[in-house]
Amino acid sequence: MAGFILRRVLWMIPSLLAVSFLAFFLIQLPPGDYVTTYVATLAASNEIVDQRTAAELRDRFGLNQPFIVQYWLWISGILLRGDFGLSFEWQQPVSGLIWERMGLTLLLTTSTLLLTWAIALPIGVLSAVRQYSFADYVFTFIAFLGLAIPSFLLALVLMYVAVVYLGQDVSGLFSEAYQTAPWSLAKVQDLLAHLWVPVTILAVNGTAGLIRVMRANMLDELHRPYVVTARAKGLSEFRLLLKYPVRLAINPLVSTIGWMLPQLISGATIVAVVMSLPIAGPLLLQALMAQDMYLAGAFLLLMCTLTLVGMLLSDILLALIDPRIRFD
Amino acid sequence: MTDDLALDIQDLHVSFPTRAGLVRAVDGVSLSLVRGKTTCVVGESGSGKSVTARAILQIIDPPGRITGGRILLRREGEPELDVATLGPRSRAIRELRGHDIAMIFQEPMSSLSPVHRIGDQIGEAVRLHLGVSRREARSRAAELLAQVEIPDPRNAIDRYTFEFSGGMRQRAMIAMALACNPSILIADEPTTALDVTTQAEILDLLRRLQDARGMTMMFITHDMGVVAEIAHDVVVMERGQVRERGPVHTLFADPRDAYTRMLLGNVTKLESPSAIRLARPSRPIGPPVLSLRDVEMRFGGRKGLFRRGGAEVRAVDGISLDVRAGETLGVVGESGSGKTTLGRCILRVLDPTGGAIDYRRRDGSVIDLVNAENDALRAARREIRMVFQDPFASLNPRMTVAQIVGEPLLVNGLARGAVLQGKVASLLERVGIDPNSAERYPHAFSGGQRQRIGIARALALSPRVIVADEPTSALDVSIRARTLDLLLELQDELDLALILISHDISVIRYMCDRVAVMHRGRVVETGETIQVCDDPQHAYTKALLSAVPRPDPTARRMHLRHRYTSA
């Protein structure tokens, strides 16, 4: 097992290098650069920047150098000094900007994940055990309804209802009073009071798919001979269900944890924009639109790293819960 | 007399409501189990024997349910209980399951959970019914594993099923069933998935355990040889009804029902070479079509920084054989002996790691299949075809029979349109399938018919060699001989060389002119079939032959069999 993990971690090094190169290449692909976008933004507000100032800016940001040199400066800074560069737009170090938002993003995504699983797994099991029953149809219908409603629409409706009928502002993750306040018990309470709205919206959207997957997995397992064996032993249906088919039906779901990690950054962007949530998604979007290349690059690199780490985590988890994989 | 009965089933009915109407899987079955004795329930697939057994524990797959009759359980010192009246989820029936009546199943791999340890699965029943602690259950599990003769039981309880061989798994399964000292053991085809030698060991074990515990056993099987070996009483079932019942000696000596006679006839038919083969005039022996020299197939064993090294497996370890036109060569051996791998090497589905396979083409030129590439390989593959074991899995359920049989012709660009249809029709006719049903899908055909379709597909390109990998092991006995006869007829007609891979020595004896006995990747003995079967030279061949149960209850010999332990 230790050898397996070591091998996988070693493999991650060349993958990451290749991926970082690709990410840097991709953010340079759109025509123009940050200065072009910057000039265009200023022009829109009737400020004219002359060619010389633009050229000076390019010099200062190192945008005139060949691609490979820029890449080397960027990647060596990260590797040698842990320096992700400077965000052009925010005029701040990229690392500070990212870490500030990652904590809240992590909180939001994990709560959503937990809620989704807590709702979807029992319902999935129920609809499989009572296949084609009234409950199966009702839950399936509700779940598909949740899938079909765009999450930003649900967000808008919820916000509208909250403001008009409850007189409460549910956008953001903090009330204005706590926006910049240092952490305290009251701030945490405030956070929790706000958190449930986006979590519910996002969970409603993700539940349907998971219910269907769990239901299908369970239906596969329910008629396996080992279930009959367990029944012939005299186990009660409920204990039998939890111990054998549910255990095996969850295995494939564990591997999905892997690709949920990169979702930390890119997921929930639309809802976050609508509800002005201070998480990573909107910041990445903004960075991409402004061609703020070091900020965007750092995000892309982080996503790729998270993907690789997530896959590794999934594989380790799967090996832990499924002996067949461990011994293969 | 009735006092000796442990279980008395009276006029049992089990039905499955389906869209097409009510299917009576068990239709008025009466049978009884004599205390301490073995009652064999024998019948072909669809006879309702498994459903009857499951009805006793009320574990019939939904939507099936008991619609009538009584299942009277008579335990010592307790009042008679009609199990059929208990609800399938009731506490009362759950207390019987695994406690008074235990069951073992056909497929020991899938019947045990792959993700729970053996000891946990055995101890579960103990904890459930005897209410002992986890630790006690654990030591009881180890004790049980020792009783079923699993080596190093203390260690074995913490293992998983996939770490065990088929025979060991079935032993673990038996240990699980015995956990609470049940008075009745129901065994549902417990040896069907096992090799003959392993089957012999398991039957031996079951008999010894039964004697030691005075257990009543209901043994379900389709194999008359097994019945003859272990039964006291026999119940013959067909299509949900009992055709005949009686003590084993009477039934074998004087079968009264036509169906019983048919079953026995089919088994004895496979005891000697096929009539078709015996009627053949002796033919001149031509040069070999296929000539294998030191063929080797190794798996695994490569190591590297980023690759996991594993132990190297020599599935085929230096095999030399000749196959002549118009002859049938049998390859016999247990699972894991490498016989299937050998077949795949000949077809070049696998790339052998060493040796040569010389194939003599129609024009007399010889190519080496091991090194052949592209066009030469493709041409040779057209002439060497395969018939597969599983007639269900080897036909694409989404293709019509015409498409399946015509596909080889189509992909090789040999026929299309009306010509193709005509060829398919004549192929189907040749294997005895009505060409008018060519537009139907495989599910509309029985197992035997599907295997005929598979044979028609193999014949489509007018092959010269057919490799048949266990072509009859998934079929009922009554269909086996017919399928084999078809292959023999085709061989006469087309001068085919047949390579028949089988673990079943009776099939080999019925079909083959010569036989090669394989063990651990090597051929341990070759020769004329009659000679090898009647006067085996190698100790392994002797062990293999003596482990085959014969349909003669007066000559039980399994306990006298040869045992072969190789280094």
Side-chain angles (χ1 to χ4, degrees):
Chain A
M1 190 75 189
F4 166 75
I5 295 174
L6 183 74
R7 252 194 313 274
R8 286 289 301 268
V9 172
L10 284 180
W11 260 117
M12 280 164 69
I13 296 170
S15 316
L16 270 179
L17 274 178
V19 144
S20 70
F21 190 79
L22 197 65
F24 201 75
F25 177 66
L26 280 178
I27 43 180
Q28 298 240 348
L29 265 190
D33 52 30
Y34 172 69
V35 175
T36 326
T37 325
Y38 179 64
V39 170
T41 326
L42 289 184
S45 50
N46 286 327
E47 272 187 65
I48 309 297
V49 181
D50 59 55
Q51 290 293 321
R52 231 188 47 186
T53 326
E56 266 174 24
L57 277 173
R58 285 211 169 84
D59 267 350
R60 204 167 88 214
F61 295 145
L63 296 177
N64 283 331
Q65 277 155 328
F67 167 74
I68 197 76
V69 176
Q70 290 190 45
Y71 171 73
W72 171 249
L73 287 175
W74 180 62
I75 198 76
S76 63
I78 295 173
L79 287 179
L80 302 177
R81 285 170 271 121
D83 174 13
F84 285 83
L86 201 70
S87 162
F88 301 145
E89 211 184 4
W90 296 74
Q91 293 297 320
Q92 275 180 35
V94 164
S95 43
L97 279 173
I98 289 185
W99 299 130
E100 190 185 296
R101 294 199 165 209
M102 280 316 282
L104 288 174
T105 314
L106 190 68
L107 179 72
L108 181 71
T109 331
T110 7
S111 338
T112 308
L113 184 69
L114 288 179
L115 186 67
T116 314
W117 283 49
I119 299 174
L121 294 192
I123 294 182
V125 172
L126 182 80
S127 349
V129 175
R130 304 251 180 279
Q131 194 189 6
Y132 303 137
S133 68
F134 182 68
D136 180 19
Y137 286 125
V138 168
F139 282 125
T140 307
F141 178 74
I142 296 176
F144 274 116
L145 210 60
L147 185 72
I149 298 173
S151 49
F152 66 87
L153 184 69
L154 196 61
L156 283 175
V157 171
L158 265 183
M159 278 160 65
Y160 177 81
V161 170
V163 169
V164 171
Y165 296 99
L166 306 173
Q168 204 184 352
D169 178 19
V170 289
S171 65
L173 284 179
F174 300 103
S175 314
E176 259 175 63
Y178 293 102
Q179 205 76 265
T180 48
W183 284 101
S184 63
L185 200 62
K187 185 171 178 174
V188 172
Q189 274 173 356
D190 183 60
L191 174 64
L192 291 180
H194 280 84
L195 192 62
W196 67 270
V197 183
V199 165
T200 315
I201 292 167
L202 294 172
V204 161
N205 213 239
T207 316
L210 198 60
I211 290 181
R212 296 309 283 182
V213 174
M214 188 63 191
R215 180 177 181 270
N217 287 355
M218 276 301 283
L219 286 175
D220 276 348
E221 297 299 330
L222 277 178
H223 302 288
R224 291 283 159 93
Y226 66 81
V227 178
V228 181
T229 310
R231 198 169 285 141
K233 249 187 253 181
L235 277 179
S236 71
E237 284 297 309
F238 186 69
R239 268 179 68 181
L240 179 155
L241 210 59
L242 286 190
K243 180 160 179 185
Y244 296 102
V246 170
R247 166 83 193 271
L248 274 114
I250 281 184
N251 281 3
L253 291 181
V254 170
S255 35
T256 64
I257 292 178
W259 60 80
M260 282 181 178
L261 271 191
Q263 294 261 320
L264 273 181
I265 295 175
S266 62
T269 306
I270 302 179
V271 175
V273 170
V274 170
M275 301 192 67
S276 51
L277 303 175
I279 59 173
L283 190 62
L284 170 61
L285 186 67
Q286 177 59 32
L288 286 173
M289 290 200 303
Q291 297 201 355
D292 190 348
M293 57 189 249
Y294 292 123
L295 185 56
F299 268 127
L300 289 181
L301 196 59
L302 193 61
M303 273 169 74
C304 297
T305 317
L306 282 176
T307 309
L308 291 173
V309 171
M311 290 300 165
L312 179 65
L313 272 183
S314 273
D315 287 352
I316 294 173
L317 268 180
L318 205 56
L320 282 179
I321 65 168
D322 193 337
R324 284 170 298 182
I325 291 177
R326 200 157 57 218
F327 287 86
D328 193 21
Chain B
M1 175 67 194
T2 47
D3 286 341
D4 311 350
L5 295 186
L7 193 82
D8 193 10
I9 299 178
Q10 295 171 353
D11 195 29
L12 182 71
H13 288 78
V14 178
S15 313
F16 288 76
T18 66
R19 231 172 270 186
L22 211 60
V23 177
R24 295 164 195 270
V26 178
D27 194 10
V29 164
S30 299
L31 61 90
S32 45
L33 306 182
V34 178
R35 203 179 299 285
K37 302 281 181 197
T38 301
T39 304
C40 274
V41 180
V42 64
E44 296 187 289
S45 45
S47 62
K49 54 193 194 302
S50 273
V51 180
T52 306
R54 282 164 196 231
I56 298 171
L57 284 179
Q58 295 255 22
I59 50 171
I60 308 164
D61 287 330
R65 54 189 201 87
I66 299 177
T67 44
R70 303 203 292 169
I71 303 173
L72 302 175
L73 174 67
R74 302 204 176 112
R75 290 169 290 184
E76 277 166 66
E78 280 188 59
E80 186 178 88
L81 175 69
D82 184 359
V83 181
T85 59
L86 303 175
R89 284 161 164 268
S90 65
R91 176 172 285 276
I93 189 78
R94 289 209 318 262
E95 273 165 13
L96 289 181
R97 291 177 190 162
H99 192 195
D100 295 284
I101 309 173
M103 190 156 175
I104 55 179
F105 298 89
Q106 173 172 353
E107 188 48 73
M109 181 70 200
S110 47
S111 295
L112 292 168
S113 161
V115 298
H116 294 87
R117 294 173 198 277
I118 298 274
D120 175 47
Q121 296 188 59
I122 297 175
E124 187 175 48
V126 186
R127 288 203 298 155
L128 199 65
H129 294 295
L130 308 180
V132 301
S133 72
R134 200 174 276 268
R135 258 189 49 204
E136 276 172 86
R138 201 178 142 82
S139 65
R140 173 91 179 118
E143 216 173 277
L144 284 159
L145 285 181
Q147 278 182 33
V148 295
E149 293 155 21
I150 285 185
D152 194 8
R154 292 256 146 230
N155 213 337
I157 49 176
D158 287 327
R159 302 248 153 128
Y160 294 96
T161 44
F162 54 84
E163 296 178 83
F164 280 12
S165 67
M168 295 263 279
R169 280 180 211 140
Q170 196 57 287
R171 282 167 193 272
M173 185 86 169
I174 293 170
M176 198 163 89
L178 298 179
C180 303
N181 296 316
S183 52
I184 300 176
L185 179 68
I186 303 173
D188 188 356
E189 305 245 15
T191 58
T192 307
L194 305 174
D195 285 318
V196 274
T197 42
T198 322
Q199 162 171 293
E201 283 166 27
I202 295 290
L203 292 179
D204 238 9
L205 174 74
L206 280 174
R207 189 163 35 205
R208 266 179 287 131
L209 289 168
Q210 184 190 20
D211 286 346
R213 291 155 173 261
M215 206 162 47
T216 310
M217 192 149 80
M218 175 175 178
F219 195 102
I220 296 162
T221 180
H222 66 274
D223 186 340
M224 279 304 206
V226 172
V227 176
E229 193 64 39
I230 62 161
H232 295 104
D233 295 306
V234 185
V235 178
V236 182
M237 281 186 69
E238 191 205 7
R239 292 200 203 153
Q241 290 177 330
V242 172
R243 307 297 308 191
E244 185 168 2
R245 48 194 269 208
V248 65
H249 292 283
T250 329
L251 193 116
F252 273 75
D254 179 24
R256 254 171 270 146
D257 186 81
Y259 182 72
T260 317
R261 278 202 293 272
M262 195 273 288
L263 277 183
L264 282 168
N266 273 314
V267 180
T268 36
K269 195 173 173 189
L270 282 176
E271 285 273 287
S272 54
S274 162
I276 296 179
R277 212 149 64 73
L278 293 176
R280 277 178 184 168
S282 65
R283 290 177 296 180
I285 292 169
V289 201
L290 269 178
S291 175
L292 282 65
R293 274 176 288 118
D294 300 318
V295 176
E296 217 174 68
M297 184 72 224
R298 283 173 293 187
F299 293 103
R302 287 173 299 178
K303 276 183 186 150
L305 178 61
F306 293 120
R307 196 179 282 138
R308 247 187 294 185
E312 184 183 82
V313 177
R314 294 189 176 203
V316 173
D317 191 7
I319 284 190
S320 302
L321 284 173
D322 281 341
V323 188
R324 301 186 194 96
E327 110 175 316
T328 310
L329 172 74
V331 178
V332 69
E334 296 178 29
S335 53
S337 61
K339 53 190 195 304
T340 295
T341 310
L342 179 69
R344 294 194 175 156
C345 286
I346 293 172
L347 288 156
R348 258 299 291 280
V349 181
L350 295 171
D351 296 331
T353 46
I357 303 176
D358 287 334
Y359 171 63
R360 187 179 298 270
R361 307 205 50 192
R362 261 183 242 270
D363 57 15
S365 64
V366 173
I367 63 165
D368 177 8
L369 294 176
V370 173
N371 297 312
E373 291 301 334
N374 304 332
D375 286 350
L377 179 63
R378 226 169 288 149
R381 268 189 186 151
R382 262 181 235 146
E383 297 173 3
I384 306 176
R385 312 298 297 177
M386 178 129 187
V387 175
F388 299 91
Q389 170 172 9
D390 188 338
F392 296 86
S394 61
L395 303 181
N396 186 337
R398 284 179 176 54
M399 285 166 80
T400 64
V401 167
Q403 286 170 330
I404 290 171
V405 174
E407 194 179 31
L409 291 164
L410 197 66
V411 296
N412 281 290
L414 297 178
R416 53 194 298 184
V419 184
L420 181 67
Q421 275 182 11
K423 284 202 169 184
V424 167
S426 74
L427 282 166
L428 287 174
E429 219 158 306
R430 191 174 241 163
V431 298
I433 301 274
D434 180 7
N436 291 323
S437 55
E439 289 311 312
R440 305 180 71 180
Y441 289 88
H443 67 83
F445 296 87
S446 71
Q449 288 174 320
R450 285 185 215 203
Q451 199 55 296
R452 283 163 184 268
I453 294 166
I455 293 172
R457 174 174 60 184
L459 291 176
L461 296 176
S462 333
R464 299 176 63 219
V465 180
I466 285 186
V467 179
D469 190 353
E470 306 265 13
T472 56
S473 63
L475 304 178
D476 276 326
V477 199
S478 59
I479 303 160
R480 251 178 229 183
R482 263 186 274 157
T483 310
L484 295 176
D485 282 346
L486 171 70
L487 280 172
L488 286 172
E489 284 165 25
L490 292 168
Q491 179 173 45
D492 278 348
E493 240 173 89
L494 307 167
D495 204 28
L496 285 172
L498 280 174
I499 300 174
L500 184 81
I501 298 168
S502 180
H503 68 280
D504 186 345
I505 204 86
S506 62
V507 167
I508 298 280
R509 187 161 36 208
Y510 189 77
M511 274 289 280
C512 300
D513 304 306
R514 287 191 308 127
V515 63
V517 183
M518 275 187 79
H519 181 61
R520 298 206 181 160
R522 291 173 178 274
V523 170
V524 294
E525 185 166 359
T526 49
E528 300 286 315
T529 309
I530 312 240
Q531 199 191 333
V532 172
C533 287
D534 292 347
D535 183 22
Q537 298 301 310
H538 195 274
Y540 176 72
T541 317
K542 286 181 191 166
L544 198 63
L545 282 165
S546 66
V548 179
R550 300 205 40 219
D552 183 0
T554 57
R556 291 189 176 169
R557 50 166 200 177
M558 199 136 287
H559 52 287
L560 301 173
R561 72 182 188 278
H562 285 272
R563 287 184 172 80
Y564 177 67
T565 43
S566 70

